[in-house]
Amino acid sequence: MIPNCLSLFCKSPPRSQRPFVKVRRSAWAAPLVLGLAAGSWWGCGGDTNNAAGSKEQATTGSGSGVAATSSGSAGAGAATGSMGEPSGSTGGSGGSTGGSGGSTGDSPDAASSTPDATNGATGTDGATGTDGGPDLGGDGSFTNPADSVVWQVDNLQSIGGAGHAPYPVRVVGAPTVIDTPAGKAVQFGGVKDALFLNVQPVNGYKQWTAEVIFRPDVGGAQAQRWFHMQGPGGDRVLFEMRTVAADNTWFLVSFVQGGGTGRLYAVAFPHPLGHWYHVAIVIDGKTMKHFVNGVYENAGPCPKTEGCTPADVKMLATPFPLNYAGIGPGGTSIGTRYSLAAFLKGAVRLARFTPRALTPQEFIPPPAP
């Protein structure tokens, strides 16, 4: 703490007696100065989001919190305050409107759908960060676009990064902070571990790109809905995966509902478990695409409720059409579906959200496996 910091603004010493302090301009500099001047940085938020027609209803109640000023490293800082808590039980059925749902034994993607099944994902590596942005290659050369918001998922108190003050986090279960060769990450055990935030990061965007660095580990559920951005009603975005225990692989399933509904089921694009990956969903207002390590996976929807094979899923000649109307404010769950189901067995290191459709050349570089 800087003692009597407000005196700096009230009486300045002669220039010859002033200490020289070099401040790098960055996304956190303005909030830091304002926080020092005002003494605190106040925030509150909360929305009620009910999954339509579902037994599992997730609710973010109103909450308030005090997020400490950032120390300069992304993800640093602490926060206190009450947060809205989702209600729900694991293993139920439910969903929302307009999309096809899960598989057998857990909870589905969309309303009036049937539930999911079980089985799942260890690896190494991650991502380090500079105040310009994540440096996944280790050479310090990577920077974020000026309009991007970065979430460094590297502690259990708050999520900080470029473009915002730290957001308070509510912890469910016992996720742990782990060291990786490229920085810290949060590991989830696959049963009851999760992080919740009273922030929905693509709120109000008409176009956007959402990117996440994560590692799927061996031994989790067959269906894992591990990064869920929940808006009002049934509007939401999910990064999901399905695992194949027979060969220890996984594939990406992406789900978006905001005006139209899209669900891309990339069963023809398996990846080995136990490695770090970059995944992305890109919405340009008219179409939906998803990528793994910068590679476009042109899989269409699963025509069944769940359990499609490569022969069942059509490969798209053009991106999936989606008349996207936007998603409003809400909350986010990391490591689980918002209703506390379909938990992640693995780790999450970083997320980034940009209010436009990026090309793969503009993505965060893929992490080393």
Side-chain angles (χ1 to χ4, degrees):
M1 177 180 292
I2 301 175
N4 204 15
C5 64
L6 289 179
S7 65
L8 295 175
F9 297 94
C10 301
K11 182 178 180 181
S12 298
R15 181 177 297 273
S16 61
Q17 299 177 23
R18 296 178 194 171
F20 176 74
V21 179
K22 183 178 180 181
V23 178
R24 179 179 293 181
R25 296 182 64 182
S26 65
W28 51 265
L32 174 59
V33 173
L34 292 175
L36 291 173
S40 61
W41 185 271
W42 287 92
C44 61
D47 289 280
T48 300
N49 304 301
N50 296 318
S54 172
K55 292 182 182 178
E56 297 169 339
Q57 294 186 341
T59 303
T60 20
S62 61
S64 62
V66 182
T69 56
S70 171
S71 67
S73 62
T80 60
S82 61
M83 297 186 64
E85 299 183 3
S87 62
S89 59
T90 59
S93 60
S96 85
T97 59
S100 56
S103 70
T104 56
D106 203 339
S107 54
D109 291 320
S112 305
S113 305
T114 55
D116 263 336
T118 48
N119 208 344
T122 63
T124 58
D125 212 2
T128 59
T130 66
D131 44 351
D135 168 26
L136 305 188
D139 61 1
S141 62
F142 183 75
T143 57
N144 291 299
D147 54 349
S148 293
V149 172
V150 177
W151 288 11
Q152 299 279 11
V153 186
D154 57 7
N155 70 90
L156 302 178
Q157 290 75 46
S158 64
I159 286 184
H164 64 92
Y167 298 128
V169 167
R170 185 176 71 87
V171 178
V172 174
T176 58
V177 177
I178 60 171
D179 290 310
T180 78
K184 292 187 182 297
V186 174
Q187 182 164 305
F188 302 88
V191 181
K192 294 182 179 180
D193 298 343
L195 303 178
F196 283 84
L197 297 86
N198 277 351
V199 178
Q200 196 282 94
V202 298
N203 172 27
Y205 292 173
K206 299 303 181 185
Q207 300 182 3
W208 49 263
T209 301
E211 305 169 75
V212 184
I213 302 293
F214 90 116
R215 188 193 70 204
D217 289 345
V218 173
Q222 182 268 341
Q224 301 177 45
R225 296 174 171 87
W226 53 274
F227 202 108
H228 183 152
M229 295 168 268
Q230 179 67 44
D235 288 348
R236 64 202 182 281
V237 177
L238 288 97
F239 284 96
E240 310 179 16
M241 69 174 175
R242 304 293 186 268
T243 63
V244 181
D247 57 4
N248 280 337
T249 60
W250 70 279
F251 62 90
L252 183 62
V253 178
S254 56
F255 182 90
V256 175
Q257 182 165 303
T261 300
R263 180 173 179 257
L264 306 182
Y265 196 91
V267 64
F269 297 87
H271 306 279
L273 292 166
H275 301 281
W276 287 94
Y277 293 92
H278 171 278
V279 293
I281 299 174
V282 178
I283 300 295
D284 64 8
K286 297 295 182 182
T287 66
M288 170 184 177
K289 294 184 285 188
H290 83 216
F291 299 78
V292 175
N293 285 347
V295 177
Y296 172 48
E297 298 184 340
N298 63 322
C302 175
K304 302 187 253 184
T305 300
E306 190 65 44
C308 284
T309 68
D312 298 320
V313 177
K314 180 181 178 181
M315 295 295 103
L316 303 174
T318 58
F320 184 80
L322 179 68
N323 290 320
Y324 184 72
I327 297 175
T332 300
S333 59
I334 303 174
T336 182
R337 184 179 169 174
Y338 208 73
S339 56
L340 287 171
F343 290 89
L344 172 67
K345 172 80 170 180
V348 177
R349 173 69 182 85
L350 179 81
R352 189 176 77 175
F353 312 96
T354 307
R356 54 195 169 87
L358 298 182
T359 65
Q361 292 73 28
E362 298 172 293
F363 289 169
I364 299 169

